[in-house]
Amino acid sequence: MSENTDTIAAIATASGKGAIGIVKISGARSLEIASLITKQTLKPRQARYTPFFNSFGAVIDQGVALYFKGPNSYTGEDVLELQSHGNHVLLDQLLDVATNAGARVARPGEFTERAFLNDKIDLAQAEAVSDLIEASTTEAASAAVRSLQGEFSAEIQVILEQLVNCRVYIESALDFAEEEIEFLKDSELTDRFTTLESSVTQLLQRSEEGVLLRDGISIVIAGLPNVGKSSLLNRLTGQDTAIVTDIAGTTRDVLKEEINIDGMPIHIVDTAGLRNSDDPIEQEGVRRAHDQINQADRILFVVEAGCEPEQSLLDELPDGIPVSFVLNKADLQSGIQQLENMLLVSAKTGEGISQLREHIKQCAGFEKTAEGALMARRRHIDALTKAQSHIRSGHRHLQDSSAGELSAEELRLAQDQLNLITGEFTSDDLLGEIFSRFCIGK
Amino acid sequence: MSDQTKYDVIVVGGGHAGTEAALASSRAGARTLLLTHNIETIGQMSCNPAIGGIGKGHLVKEIDALGGIMAKAADAAGIHIRTLNARKGPAVRATRSQADRALYRAAIRTAVENQQGLHIFQQSVDDLIVDEATNRCSGVVTESGLRFNAVSVVLTVGTFLGGKIHIGDVQQAGGRAGDAPSNALAKRLRALPFRVARLKTGTPPRIDGKTIDYSQLEAQPGDTPRPVFSYLGSEADHPEQVHCHITHTNEKTHEIINANLGKSAMYSGNIEGVGPRYCPSIEDKVVRFADKTSHQIFIEPEGLNTHEVYPNGISTSLPFSVQLDYVHSIKGFENAHITRAGYAIEYDFFDPRDLHASLETKFIDGLYFAGQINGTTGYEEAGAQGLVAGINAARAVKGLEAWSPRRNEAYIGVLIDDLITRGTLEPYRMFTSRAEYRLLLREDNADLRLTEKGRELGLVNDNRWQQFNNKVEAIERNRESIAKWFVHAASDDARKIEQAFDVHVQKDQQVLDLLRRPEIDCTGLQKIFPDRFPVNNKAALLQLETQIRYQGYIERQQEEIEKQSRYSESRIPQSFDYANVSGLSSEVQQKLSEQRPDTVGQASRIPGVTPAAVSLLLVSLKKQQLLDRRVGQIA
Ligand SMILES: Cc1cc2nc3c(=O)[nH]c(=O)nc-3n(C[C@H](O)[C@H](O)[C@H](O)COP(=O)(O)OP(=O)(O)OC[C@H]3O[C@@H](n4cnc5c(N)ncnc54)[C@H](O)[C@@H]3O)c2cc1C
Ligand SMILES: Nc1nc2c(ncn2[C@@H]2O[C@H](COP(=O)(O)OP(=O)(O)OP(=O)(O)O)[C@@H](O)[C@H]2O)c(=O)[nH]1
Ligand SMILES: [Mg+2]
């Protein structure tokens, strides 16, 4: 397809150590990206076993590269598929090359959407397309909460304010040159740019570390004492790791186990039962439990029929982290109603455990089609990286040639990128900021 | 003798929207009638005597490139002309001219009277002829019961619908000072299914210049050489030039205003209409920016043959006695005589989201709205809409497809698209920051962007077409010539360049690259190396220089446009059922059903419509086999 299309990229498999990882790229820049990664020109429809290079030109893996020329491809556009070892650090670097070369991280369902719009999937198959977009969007929205937006929302907000602040001065100098506004001196504006730039850089550094460290998501089991948390951990890992007794307050230490659901690594964390205690050791255990809860990607809150926790305990759970309620000891009661949003299980008999695994799997975003916290985070980092580079160019224009309109253009593009994380901030919003700060008009 | 009551197109209103509409319509070959209250007020500037400014000047040049009248009239009436942002980049430079009101009106009137195929009739319009069954407008009825029929009707009645003037607590019906409002028409329109709301705007008291002590005030001269608005114009078109002056309000002024706030129509709660955020009355300025002890006032001459001046910066709805007091507190105005009181005016406007990009209404076929009734403010914004409505009204008569420029083609496109996709809560004014393609949409290239289109639409006459082609050729021949020009370090050429521009030519390089450096310009190069430039045309040289300087950005914006235009032109049928789009949130569904955008691009720009929602919409259109991928001209 000769048409100039937006190029999109995504990691198409979730990672499990040792498994194969696939990065997919679709759009006009595919071949260009292929040559950056493989340092060779690929021929259509030929699998090539080749070294993969990262953005710095270092070989990071050997893998298979496949190039399809549109319209003879899955999406109907030029497509590049890279199969490498399924480790996140590696896949991230491949994605990085693509986004540096002008691709953007795909929205959920976007590959399928393109395939459909380009007549690559027929109507029968297409029924699923909208469901897919919708489901993944909802999921991505909740994933985003756990991504940059959630974790670093305060910092993002600061960056947004700093950016808008620079834009207010630059844009008002362009649109309201005749007004008696106290325009900033270029040096003051430059200082503001410097601050903005370093805020973005710092946040990026921290979030990149975050992404790399976090290979898989972490699920914390919490609840009142004796409800069967440790038993559940043992059941999920298939091992007798945690001590189980009928004494309330058995678990004190934090116990972390990695399980693997269909190749996706998931950390399961067992914690002390939550209650007020006079025992200093148990007190410390509860404190540590809260620490874990606050860092969770998801909380499995275990409840035993007949001993529901007080509301105050539930209120203590942190905002923004999703909670799944698990009703344990199903074997003891007959005829318990399956409550909505409650998973009914028995750690003892194994009843409901496969549903629980399925539930965890879905939450982790390992539906073949949907995406989870990790892709959302990558998309945010991509946006932030691009914003950073625009802010830098904007700064340079101001310093080198005090070219206000070029600087303004770069900041507008930076804002477009931040909009992907924080929601829309329009040119009209910007004017609103200007009019609220300066007295403008006849 | 042709029938005096049957036309192709009727334009109601002889303001800035109406005159451009009538001229465009008749130029495009439609038999057109301009129906207005009063022939003497054709082309009247209701508010300040100035045309252009940042963002607005861009609109004027675009209107000119499309064969409109505003730029020529502004040149003929321009008594003080400047380029704003002259020291900033070309994209944000803009022309602004003080206009002699009488000369301006005369220039417009002359153009209208001499336009072939255009008739004028003086009478107030009270009613529209609308066929209820087909929802089609086929004419108008005037005050005295005369009926006029047409295929298309363009309504451009400005601030006249339900117009109410406020001075202090005194209210009076009026369309602007001295003119009656259009209440019968307002009532008729309110009965149609349009969404109507109220806006307000204000104007300052006018002052007799003989009573101003200019010796105390700073004078502001126009530019030399004088900028020219029209691509066909020259400095020779300008009348005699005069100065503006600058003065300021002071603490005493603010004290007087503060003490009398309760008497302002704005603050006594008599006004329901919303005013613009950027154009606050002096009461507003004093209240909202309490820590500012002084505000600037530009004293703009109203014309060469009058002493009246327009003090820009002190519009108000305070009672006349207070206006006198605060005016007298201002330096240079101690003994000023007020010739007309300042006032605020409230009027009906129609939610522009009920319009197609052609400016035809969505509810009634054959009916077009343009100008202030669509929620905008300003002559330029009105003229731009008038031109588009006029051309489309005429095209509809011939069964031709409507045309409206895209956001990346013109500020006119930005204006119309903003209005129809986002609507407006306050009187909408153009600013360059509204244009995401600001670097492409410059005053200097409005002709290059639009003349060809104008020619195709029948708006551009042979003379303009010839001049345009000459300019394009000049640019291209010079470009070809310098593209081949290579300067070696330490060569004769290099030395001459170093001397003239105070730069250092370090290495062998293309002159094209040298021209990217801010110190070096084409005009300067042409002076030293006339042989290198086959055509010596000033505008062409400037144009080439700008294109070279912005090249990287222009390419990037072009790429952005290409990416976005993929489905943005795909039509959505007006009957499309958004409830059937699976996965769409009910909020988005409601917005889309209410607004009924014509294209996927318009849908995507409605606030709250996310990229995922657009995806769902595309998929749904595709499933119903409604997805066309149109390239070409459609809004
Ligand atoms: C008090 C005031 C303050 C303003 N302040 C500003 C400002 O601060 N900044 C700014 O940019 N702009 C301002 N303007 C706005 C500017 O004047 C308008 O935006 C511009 O004139 C709108 O052009 P138009 O063609 O839409 O309407 P108008 O210029 O208002 O023209 C309307 C025309 O329609 C005619 N008409 C009305 N009703 C009928 C009818 N029923 N039958 C026949 N003819 C009819 C009228 O006679 C008139 O010729 C102000 C206007 C007013 C009145
Ligand atoms: N019948 C039945 N008993 C269970 C089930 N799950 C756990 N138990 C019993 O409940 C008791 C407490 O189990 P634990 O797994 O130690 O509970 P805990 O929530 O980890 O308790 P603390 O660590 O003290 O907070 C033990 O006697 C388990 O054998 C179940 O599904 N059914
Ligand atoms: Mg335990």
Side-chain angles (χ1 to χ4, degrees):
Chain A
M1 212 150 271
S2 60
E3 207 173 347
N4 183 356
T5 56
D6 209 4
T7 305
I8 53 174
I11 295 175
T13 49
S15 77
K17 289 202 180 82
I20 285 181
I22 297 178
V23 173
K24 271 192 185 166
I25 294 156
S26 176
R29 294 230 152 112
S30 296
L31 194 59
E32 181 190 332
I33 293 167
S35 78
L36 288 171
I37 289 180
T38 65
K39 306 263 185 227
Q40 45 189 310
T41 309
L42 298 182
K43 292 212 186 73
R45 304 193 151 268
Q46 222 178 59
R48 179 80 58 91
Y49 188 68
T50 163
F52 289 160
F53 295 82
N54 68 9
S55 294
F56 307 100
V59 175
I60 48 168
D61 198 12
Q62 288 273 330
V64 176
L66 272 157
Y67 167 66
F68 302 88
K69 182 145 184 54
N72 301 315
S73 71
Y74 165 63
T75 59
E77 306 170 342
D78 290 358
V79 165
L80 173 67
E81 197 175 298
L82 302 165
Q83 302 174 359
S84 77
H85 292 102
N87 132 352
H88 268 300
V89 181
L90 228 154
L91 295 172
D92 261 324
Q93 294 190 52
L94 294 177
L95 200 61
D96 197 46
V97 179
T99 53
N100 284 344
R104 71 174 161 76
V105 178
R107 286 193 298 274
E110 211 174 355
F111 285 93
T112 319
E113 176 194 336
R114 289 191 178 192
F116 176 57
L117 295 179
N118 292 329
D119 297 311
K120 290 289 157 178
I121 319 181
D122 63 30
L123 207 61
Q125 288 170 282
E127 273 319 309
V129 179
S130 346
D131 294 347
L132 165 62
I133 297 171
E134 187 209 357
S136 5
T137 311
T138 329
E139 181 151 348
S142 68
V145 174
R146 277 166 287 149
S147 173
L148 277 187
Q149 207 182 8
E151 209 164 317
F152 297 128
S153 67
E155 275 105 313
I156 288 277
Q157 221 43 53
V158 170
I159 289 175
L160 191 65
E161 272 163 35
Q162 290 173 340
L163 176 69
V164 168
N165 203 297
C166 287
R167 292 191 74 200
V168 161
Y169 280 98
I170 293 200
E171 292 289 348
S172 48
L174 298 177
D175 261 337
F176 306 105
E178 296 294 292
E179 301 287 337
E180 272 190 320
I181 298 178
E182 281 141 45
F183 292 113
L184 288 183
K185 285 204 266 328
D186 275 3
S187 64
E188 283 172 291
L189 201 51
T190 307
D191 288 349
R192 291 189 192 207
F193 260 101
T194 311
T195 317
L196 169 62
E197 229 180 285
S198 72
S199 310
V200 175
T201 307
Q202 271 172 28
L203 181 60
L204 258 178
Q205 264 167 11
R206 286 183 44 204
S207 33
E208 264 157 14
E209 280 159 17
V211 161
L212 298 184
L213 287 179
R214 193 183 288 228
D215 196 3
I217 68 163
S218 116
I219 292 193
V220 173
I221 307 179
L224 292 176
N226 232 12
V227 293
K229 299 183 294 299
S230 302
S231 310
L232 209 53
L233 175 82
N234 290 347
R235 184 50 92 167
L236 284 168
T237 58
Q239 284 167 351
D240 196 15
T241 320
I243 303 171
V244 170
T245 72
D246 57 2
I247 303 163
T250 304
T251 307
R252 306 289 173 90
D253 286 326
V254 168
L255 222 77
K256 289 188 187 176
E257 280 298 312
E258 183 176 312
I259 63 166
N260 198 297
I261 303 184
D262 295 351
M264 165 152 231
I266 289 164
H267 304 283
I268 306 277
V269 183
D270 181 26
T271 58
L274 302 171
R275 69 167 171 189
N276 293 324
S277 161
D278 296 336
D279 179 351
I281 304 179
E282 192 174 353
Q283 276 175 10
E284 177 59 18
V286 171
R287 198 191 61 72
R288 291 183 183 205
H290 278 296
D291 272 359
Q292 290 302 315
I293 289 171
N294 286 324
Q295 292 170 31
D297 283 306
R298 175 169 289 269
I299 300 163
L300 282 191
F301 199 89
V302 184
V303 183
E304 188 182 329
C307 52
E308 280 79 26
E310 289 167 26
Q311 188 58 40
S312 62
L313 189 60
L314 295 179
D315 291 343
E316 269 178 38
L317 295 178
D319 288 342
I321 299 179
V323 181
S324 305
F325 290 95
V326 178
L327 195 59
N328 190 30
K329 306 195 186 178
D331 54 304
L332 291 182
Q333 330 261 326
S334 54
I336 307 182
Q337 283 198 344
Q338 169 75 60
L339 295 167
E340 217 188 321
N341 299 329
M342 275 255 190
L343 292 139
L344 192 60
V345 303
S346 165
K348 188 166 174 186
T349 65
E351 181 191 337
I353 294 297
S354 64
Q355 284 92 323
L356 178 60
R357 285 172 153 271
E358 188 59 29
H359 174 75
I360 293 175
K361 187 172 106 178
Q362 283 188 14
C363 298
F366 191 39
E367 279 296 70
K368 200 166 84 220
T369 50
E371 64 152 32
L374 289 175
M375 273 319 274
R377 184 185 288 263
R378 281 199 184 85
R379 195 174 309 110
H380 286 174
I381 288 182
D382 178 32
L384 205 56
T385 310
K386 285 179 174 148
Q388 179 189 40
S389 110
H390 289 305
I391 291 167
R392 283 195 180 137
S393 317
H395 196 170
R396 211 173 41 241
H397 281 303
L398 200 68
Q399 276 179 322
D400 296 354
S401 45
S402 55
E405 83 281 21
L406 297 182
S407 203
E409 168 72 3
E410 295 290 354
L411 290 192
R412 180 185 69 80
L413 293 167
Q415 183 105 56
D416 277 353
Q417 292 296 333
L418 280 194
N419 283 352
L420 298 174
I421 306 177
T422 59
E424 212 183 1
F425 184 90
T426 62
S427 62
D428 203 57
D429 294 331
L430 184 66
L431 284 166
E433 284 291 324
I434 293 177
F435 300 135
S436 70
R437 278 188 226 192
F438 304 124
C439 181
I440 284 173
K442 37 188 217 162
Chain B
M1 195 62 224
S2 54
D3 189 341
Q4 254 226 284
T5 62
K6 282 206 171 56
Y7 287 86
D8 292 334
V9 174
I10 293 173
V11 176
V12 182
H16 308 275
T19 51
E20 293 290 359
L23 288 167
S25 161
S26 39
R27 279 193 194 112
R31 230 182 127 244
T32 306
L33 176 69
L34 176 62
L35 251 172
T36 189
H37 271 146
N38 181 350
I39 291 180
E40 304 309 321
T41 61
I42 285 180
Q44 166 107 325
M45 307 176 105
S46 322
C47 195
N48 70 328
I51 297 284
I54 301 168
K56 286 170 172 273
H58 293 75
L59 286 169
V60 178
K61 297 259 179 179
E62 291 175 357
I63 294 173
D64 188 58
L66 291 167
I69 185 64
M70 186 168 271
K72 283 187 191 158
D75 282 332
I79 52 176
H80 172 108
I81 312 161
R82 291 169 57 213
T83 299
L84 308 183
N85 275 339
R87 283 199 299 268
K88 299 198 182 100
V92 291
R93 282 178 211 155
T95 315
R96 185 180 187 280
S97 156
Q98 293 303 146
D100 177 304
R101 264 180 215 289
L103 291 176
Y104 189 86
R105 226 176 22 235
I108 300 279
R109 170 105 174 246
T110 307
V112 169
E113 285 186 357
N114 290 309
Q115 174 62 45
Q116 212 188 345
L118 175 57
H119 296 186
I120 311 173
F121 191 75
Q122 171 170 311
Q123 182 101 180
S124 178
V125 168
D126 275 9
D127 197 2
L128 299 176
I129 306 171
V130 177
D131 183 323
E132 306 276 329
T134 56
N135 265 334
R136 237 206 117 76
C137 177
S138 60
V140 301
V141 184
T142 68
E143 202 174 20
S144 59
L146 298 177
R147 295 169 75 87
F148 292 90
N149 291 299
V151 182
S152 311
V153 173
V154 185
L155 221 54
T156 68
V157 292
T159 48
F160 286 69
L161 294 175
K164 197 197 250 180
I165 288 175
H166 299 257
I167 304 179
D169 59 358
V170 183
Q171 293 148 39
Q172 174 196 340
R176 77 189 150 206
D179 285 319
S182 295
N183 286 338
L185 186 59
K187 197 164 157 230
R188 169 66 167 131
L189 286 163
R190 276 187 179 251
L192 293 170
F194 302 111
R195 293 178 276 185
V196 190
R198 301 283 278 173
L199 288 176
K200 82 122 230 211
T201 184
T203 197
R206 308 300 144 85
I207 297 176
D208 178 351
K210 294 198 303 301
T211 63
I212 296 177
D213 179 4
Y214 285 111
S215 68
Q216 299 188 54
L217 304 181
E218 178 191 339
Q220 187 194 41
D223 287 354
T224 359
R226 295 192 299 273
V228 177
F229 264 117
S230 172
Y231 290 103
L232 304 184
S234 73
E235 279 185 279
D237 301 334
H238 298 154
E240 182 193 335
Q241 299 295 298
V242 295
H243 288 181
C244 287
H245 289 83
I246 297 175
T247 183
H248 287 90
T249 62
N250 53 46
E251 292 183 24
K252 179 86 196 301
T253 321
H254 297 191
E255 242 168 63
I256 298 172
I257 289 167
N258 268 320
N260 290 286
L261 269 185
K263 300 181 192 156
S264 158
M266 277 294 295
Y267 284 81
S268 58
N270 283 338
I271 295 184
E272 52 167 318
V274 184
R277 286 171 296 180
Y278 51 83
C279 213
S281 61
I282 187 67
E283 301 87 291
D284 257 349
K285 291 184 187 181
V286 169
V287 172
R288 284 180 41 214
F289 298 93
D291 50 339
K292 272 198 90 172
T293 51
S294 165
H295 296 281
Q296 179 171 271
I297 303 170
F298 283 104
I299 305 173
E300 306 180 350
E302 293 253 341
L304 295 174
N305 294 312
T306 172
H307 290 291
E308 229 179 351
V309 299
Y310 178 100
N312 184 339
I314 49 171
S315 83
T316 185
S317 61
L318 283 162
F320 183 62
S321 61
V322 182
Q323 295 186 20
L324 276 174
D325 277 358
Y326 84 69
V327 164
H328 289 156
S329 74
I330 294 168
K331 187 160 133 192
F333 291 174
E334 291 84 355
N335 297 308
H337 173 77
I338 294 182
T339 51
R340 304 173 205 228
Y343 62 92
I345 180 163
E346 266 188 296
Y347 53 93
D348 284 359
F349 82 105
F350 300 102
D351 188 331
R353 291 176 297 181
D354 294 338
L355 298 171
H356 299 289
S358 60
L359 298 182
E360 187 176 18
T361 65
K362 287 179 182 165
F363 301 125
I364 297 178
D365 294 341
L367 181 63
Y368 297 74
F369 287 170
Q372 192 122 354
I373 58 169
N374 289 337
T376 61
T377 172
Y379 312 130
E380 304 80 355
E381 288 81 353
Q385 293 170 66
L387 186 122
V388 171
I391 184 73
N392 287 326
R395 287 175 75 75
V397 174
K398 298 187 185 158
L400 297 172
E401 197 167 39
W403 175 78
S404 181
R406 285 174 283 201
R407 296 184 70 91
N408 59 304
E409 290 173 325
Y411 273 89
I412 303 178
V414 174
L415 168 73
I416 293 178
D417 188 68
D418 275 354
L419 289 173
I420 67 170
T421 61
R422 317 188 76 96
T424 189
L425 295 172
E426 64 178 347
Y428 178 105
R429 181 213 193 270
M430 186 47 74
F431 301 104
T432 68
S433 52
R434 296 194 192 271
E436 63 275 40
Y437 301 112
R438 173 161 62 193
L439 300 178
L440 296 182
L441 305 183
R442 307 185 303 272
E443 265 201 5
D444 64 64
N445 70 356
D447 55 344
L448 298 177
R449 290 185 272 121
L450 296 168
T451 310
E452 260 180 285
K453 192 69 215 179
R455 179 74 176 175
E456 204 184 308
L457 295 166
L459 300 175
V460 166
N461 63 21
D462 292 345
N463 175 32
R464 182 184 292 272
W465 184 235
Q466 187 57 49
Q467 293 207 31
F468 169 74
N469 283 313
N470 291 348
K471 180 172 168 189
V472 171
E473 198 195 302
I475 297 168
E476 290 319 315
R477 283 182 54 199
N478 287 338
R479 191 203 309 278
E480 276 166 29
S481 165
I482 52 171
K484 293 186 218 133
W485 183 10
F486 205 80
V487 174
H488 295 278
S491 65
D492 269 0
D493 281 5
R495 260 195 303 280
K496 283 187 194 157
I497 290 173
E498 287 175 340
Q499 254 173 22
F501 300 104
D502 193 21
V503 291
H504 184 47
V505 182
Q506 279 154 326
K507 53 176 203 286
D508 301 358
Q509 58 189 303
Q510 282 214 292
V511 171
L512 276 180
D513 288 327
L514 275 175
L515 272 168
R516 297 219 168 83
R517 297 167 60 166
E519 305 91 343
I520 303 179
D521 62 304
C522 271
T523 317
L525 275 184
Q526 196 274 339
K527 283 200 190 103
I528 326 174
F529 305 102
D531 297 348
R532 293 285 183 179
F533 294 85
V535 189
N536 183 12
N537 170 323
K538 197 172 149 221
L541 286 176
L542 279 174
Q543 186 51 230
L544 182 57
E545 185 180 306
T546 305
Q547 289 179 6
I548 293 171
R549 195 151 296 163
Y550 279 154
Q551 194 180 358
Y553 278 89
I554 291 173
E555 279 163 11
R556 190 160 85 185
Q557 293 208 324
Q558 291 293 7
E559 197 179 310
E560 208 179 306
I561 293 163
E562 272 174 51
K563 274 186 205 163
Q564 277 176 1
S565 64
R566 205 162 177 217
Y567 292 104
S568 61
E569 316 276 303
S570 303
R571 310 281 306 176
I572 309 173
Q574 280 293 305
S575 59
F576 188 75
D577 185 3
Y578 292 95
N580 267 343
V581 180
S582 55
L584 222 50
S585 76
S586 54
E587 191 195 329
V588 170
Q589 212 178 79
Q590 194 192 341
K591 268 194 183 139
L592 290 169
S593 319
E594 231 172 64
Q595 214 159 314
R596 311 224 140 260
D598 284 318
T599 64
V600 172
Q602 285 171 18
S604 72
R605 290 186 294 273
I606 294 172
V609 175
T610 58
V614 175
S615 292
L616 291 167
L617 180 60
L618 280 174
V619 168
S620 176
L621 283 165
K622 176 84 179 176
K623 277 185 195 162
Q624 299 175 45
Q625 299 186 318
L626 294 170
L627 190 65
D628 54 351
R629 209 198 268 175
R630 299 181 52 131
V631 268
Q633 279 305 322
I634 201 74

